[in-house]
Amino acid sequence: MKFPGGKNLGGTYHAIISQIPPHPIFIEPFAGSAAIRRLMKPSPRSILIDLDRAALDAIRDLVDERTEILHEDALAWLRRKGPHLPPGAVIYADPPYHPATCEGWRQYKHRLTEAQHGELLDLLLACPCRVLLSGYDSPLYAKRLAAWRVVRWPQI
């Protein structure tokens, strides 16, 4: 399944999955093709969130019954639910890339503005659980997440 910024390539999804600690709940707030959820060992409970109904329809039959699929705005969901997640949960956020880092921004059906990226970082930083975030280097992310551990690998 191809999707802008998709993580279906072997080196990509392996690198990400290897960073995910054991967890009772796995949350992908920008599900897209849900490559990480589909290719990792199933979690006791998973939540996939996306605004793109077609993307969600495409993955519906590719995940098991432990996976809840929500057609919803990820930022709204994180505002409501993020502060109340259990500490053992894991969020894997792969948002539409920051406008300053993505020449192919027109490929995304739904994009985030600079302000929305800032809000996303606020919401993720407020979550009491572990958070993994994919993206390209940008001044906003570098400044706001300076204390975070960063794992880099080459991408085409």
Side-chain angles (χ1 to χ4, degrees):
M1 177 184 304
K2 287 190 176 193
F3 204 82
K7 306 297 183 262
N8 294 293
L9 296 174
T12 302
Y13 74 81
H14 284 118
I16 295 166
I17 290 171
S18 71
Q19 300 300 314
I20 299 173
H23 54 275
I25 302 171
F26 178 79
I27 301 142
E28 230 178 306
F30 302 92
S33 70
I36 300 304
R37 166 58 195 89
R38 289 184 299 104
L39 297 167
M40 65 188 264
K41 180 181 172 188
S43 302
R45 179 177 177 217
S46 294
I47 302 170
L48 301 176
I49 306 159
D50 208 293
L51 273 174
D52 188 342
R53 187 178 299 278
L56 295 174
D57 289 343
I59 61 175
R60 197 168 304 281
D61 293 333
L62 302 176
V63 295
D64 63 22
E65 68 283 348
R66 296 173 284 191
T67 302
E68 184 178 355
I69 297 176
L70 303 175
H71 177 241
E72 186 171 347
D73 176 81
L75 296 178
W77 189 93
L78 286 166
R79 266 185 235 110
R80 267 192 345 273
K81 304 283 188 172
H84 310 291
L85 291 170
V90 168
I91 295 172
Y92 170 62
D94 183 22
Y97 296 133
H98 187 281
T101 68
C102 187
E103 290 179 24
W105 63 269
R106 289 181 183 90
Q107 295 178 21
Y108 289 111
K109 191 172 184 178
H110 302 282
R111 297 182 295 275
L112 297 181
T113 64
E114 172 92 12
Q116 288 172 315
H117 276 279
E119 180 183 6
L120 171 62
L121 296 178
D122 289 339
L123 293 168
L124 294 175
L125 287 164
C127 288
C129 60
R130 299 218 181 174
V131 175
L132 290 83
L133 176 65
S134 286
Y136 293 104
D137 288 332
S138 75
L140 173 69
Y141 280 60
K143 179 181 178 183
R144 298 288 305 284
L145 305 177
W148 281 29
R149 182 175 68 91
V150 176
V151 177
R152 290 184 172 86
W153 64 90
Q155 275 306 121
I156 297 174

